Amino acid sequence: MVIEFDNNQPIYLQIMNYIKGEIVTGKLKPGDKIPSVRELAAELQINPNTVQRTFQELERETIVETRRGMGRYVTGSEETILTVKKEMAQGVLERFIRGMQELGFQGEDILAAVAENIHQRDKEQGE
């Protein structure tokens, strides 16, 4: 696992977002075991307490579950994973729209730009 940490955001949130991304893209599947606190801390070269906080937050959000004596696993709930995916998509959309508005685009202009981009991508993939 390789994460380039951003100094503007807490490390535990960056790790959470990375793990959530791995789950919603299917790289980590429902029921998959995730690394232990020690393993992940060593791999990322960070304090184990930071990893522990990450896992506590993921458990609180029911994205991972602890099986006593066995470790932590990705939730088996497809509904939870879909909810996380929608939340992450909403964040991407909000950042995109804010960025477009900062460039001076308004609602209809943003929609037109997106439609044009999708059309162009479809055309390139069809060739």
Side-chain angles (χ1 to χ4, degrees):
M1 177 183 306
V2 178
I3 303 174
E4 290 188 31
F5 294 113
D6 176 359
N7 292 332
N8 298 319
Q9 186 181 35
I11 291 174
Y12 83 95
L13 288 176
Q14 294 177 62
I15 299 168
M16 278 182 67
N17 288 333
Y18 179 85
I19 292 172
K20 286 178 181 181
E22 295 288 288
I23 293 169
V24 301
T25 59
K27 293 176 185 164
L28 282 174
K29 300 192 180 343
D32 280 357
K33 189 174 189 322
I34 60 175
S36 71
V37 169
R38 286 184 188 180
E39 291 169 339
L40 194 53
E43 186 175 342
L44 296 175
Q45 298 182 341
I46 60 172
N47 189 312
N49 292 332
T50 302
V51 176
Q52 182 63 34
R53 180 161 185 201
T54 300
F55 288 167
Q56 287 172 338
E57 289 298 314
L58 289 170
E59 284 180 22
R60 187 183 59 74
E61 294 183 14
T62 67
I63 297 164
V64 300
E65 51 195 41
T66 298
R67 298 181 189 160
R68 191 175 181 133
M70 297 177 65
R72 289 183 176 86
Y73 294 81
V74 174
T75 182
S77 169
E78 294 287 341
E79 184 178 326
T80 298
I81 294 171
L82 183 58
T83 299
V84 170
K85 188 172 191 170
K86 287 178 180 179
E87 288 170 358
M88 292 181 80
Q90 185 63 35
V92 170
L93 282 171
E94 287 172 7
R95 287 188 300 277
F96 169 74
I97 291 169
R98 190 176 327 115
M100 292 296 281
Q101 288 172 333
E102 287 171 2
L103 292 173
F105 288 88
Q106 298 303 313
E108 289 299 318
D109 297 329
I110 295 170
L111 288 172
V114 169
E116 182 180 326
N117 189 283
I118 290 171
H119 176 73
Q120 185 62 36
R121 286 175 180 261
D122 289 348
K123 193 170 149 183
E124 288 171 2
Q125 290 176 357
E127 294 179 353

